[in-house]
Amino acid sequence: MKGWKTALALGAAAAAAGAVAGEYFYRFALTQQIDKTAAFNAPHNRPTGAPRGTLAADREWLNA
């Protein structure tokens, strides 16, 4: 009888933790209540590699 109470308590805790995490990610992704500039301006989110050319050069490459 003690085993199912423990399982029920762990299940309730997992559900509560999932609800809290889901609420955070909902607010982060779909609302404007959280400042996202720090996340989007992080160094690991910046593009790397060679810079893109001019629009004319890109169109010429695309048409080739």
Side-chain angles (χ1 to χ4, degrees), residues 32-50:
Q32 296 180 357
Q33 295 177 356
I34 294 178
D35 183 24
K36 299 174 186 77
T37 56
F40 292 128
N41 292 333
H44 63 274
N45 287 336
R46 293 195 182 122
T48 58

Side-chain angles (χ1 to χ4, degrees), residues 24-31 34 36:
Y24 170 78
F25 286 117
Y26 168 78
R27 288 186 187 274
F28 185 81
L30 300 176
T31 67
I34 294 178
K36 299 174 186 77

